[in-house]
Amino acid sequence: GAVVSQHPSRVICKSGTSVKIECRSLDFQATTMFWYRQFPKQSLMLMATSNEGSKATYEQGVEKDKFLINHASLTLSTLTVTSAHPEDSSFYICSAPSGERGGLYNEQFFGPGTRLTVL
Amino acid sequence: AQSVTQPDIHITVSEGASLELRCNYSYGATPYLFWYVQSPGQGLQLLLKYFSGDTLVQGIKGFEAEFKRSQSSFNLRKPSVHWSDAAEYFCAVGASWGGGNKLTFGTGTQLKVEL
């Protein structure tokens, strides 16, 4: 199957700093990528949909100025957590559907996740 | 809005025993249904999916699931569990959306396998 990578796998930062997380589709192009957040022992919550060449679409309750998303190429989306605080500590996961735009359904492939700890 | 319920937070089974993980969904149209497995340090891996057709779907690693519209359920089963099956399992429902697919996940079921 297709491979999605994330970098870094773990990051620890001080409160008030910004952290950038990269999501790459390694062997396919992804015009759309999804960003999820997962709290311990809880489900994945969709944060936003990243669209190549256009603005991201955020889910209700997600601060777009807090979580900046850039989808600059067909294989890379970045999530920047700005002015991070301890409550932003979480496991962030990206996914990318393969296949052509407009396909009936394109299987999503998930990255291994990034563990963010804000001190 | 779509939603998924996984009633069992934790399940423990003995190796070699059968397994059934429950999943109930709520969705206004024909759902796209999925089961994913999450192991520590690895991304979610798709076990199987249902879009239409035969309501009993076969997946990888010996898993199967049955779509029951009347019960709004999509339970995951395996006849004989292996110790390597210990992981977190997520049921998800998808809404067709252009070129992608927004997934709504259940809260997951943690499977423990006793040797």
Side-chain angles (χ1 to χ4, degrees), chain A residues 1-74:
Chain A
V3 178
V4 173
S5 70
Q6 281 185 244
H7 178 79
S9 58
R10 289 179 179 272
V11 58
I12 301 174
C13 69
K14 293 182 179 180
S15 185
T17 61
S18 295
V19 174
K20 179 184 286 187
I21 302 170
E22 294 185 347
C23 176
R24 293 182 185 272
S25 56
L26 297 185
D27 49 2
F28 67 101
Q29 294 182 335
T31 55
T32 301
M33 291 183 176
F34 298 96
W35 285 96
Y36 295 86
R37 183 173 180 176
Q38 184 181 27
F39 290 102
K41 305 300 182 184
Q42 295 188 28
S43 184
L44 285 76
M45 300 299 296
L46 180 65
M47 298 174 64
T49 303
S50 173
N51 305 299
E52 186 269 334
S54 64
K55 291 182 179 180
T57 305
Y58 291 81
E59 295 300 303
Q60 190 172 10
V62 178
E63 301 176 60
K64 59 182 179 183
D65 295 330
K66 174 75 169 177
F67 300 99
L68 300 179
I69 291 173
N70 185 2
H71 197 147
S73 77
L74 289 172

Side-chain angles (χ1 to χ4, degrees), chain B residues 2-75:
Chain B
Q2 60 213 48
S3 66
V4 178
T5 301
Q6 292 180 248
D8 305 305
I9 298 174
H10 298 97
I11 282 186
T12 300
V13 298
S14 300
E15 189 176 37
S18 63
L19 171 71
E20 182 170 34
L21 302 182
R22 295 183 291 166
C23 172
N24 292 96
Y25 69 90
S26 173
Y27 185 60
T30 300
Y32 300 114
L33 295 162
F34 309 84
W35 274 100
Y36 287 88
V37 60
Q38 185 182 37
S39 299
Q42 299 183 24
L44 274 76
Q45 182 181 23
L46 180 66
L47 289 175
L48 47 78
K49 57 182 182 275
Y50 171 80
F51 293 163
S52 64
D54 193 347
T55 57
L56 184 63
V57 293
Q58 302 296 322
I60 62 171
K61 304 184 179 184
F63 286 93
E64 67 176 28
E66 186 171 10
F67 171 60
K68 293 185 177 180
R69 183 185 298 275
S70 61
Q71 299 177 20
S72 298
S73 68
F74 189 57
N75 295 347

Side-chain angles (χ1 to χ4, degrees), chain A residues 87-100:
Chain A
E87 57 266 28
D88 298 322
S89 299
S90 191
F91 194 53
Y92 292 88
I93 301 172
C94 71
S95 71
S98 65
E100 297 178 359

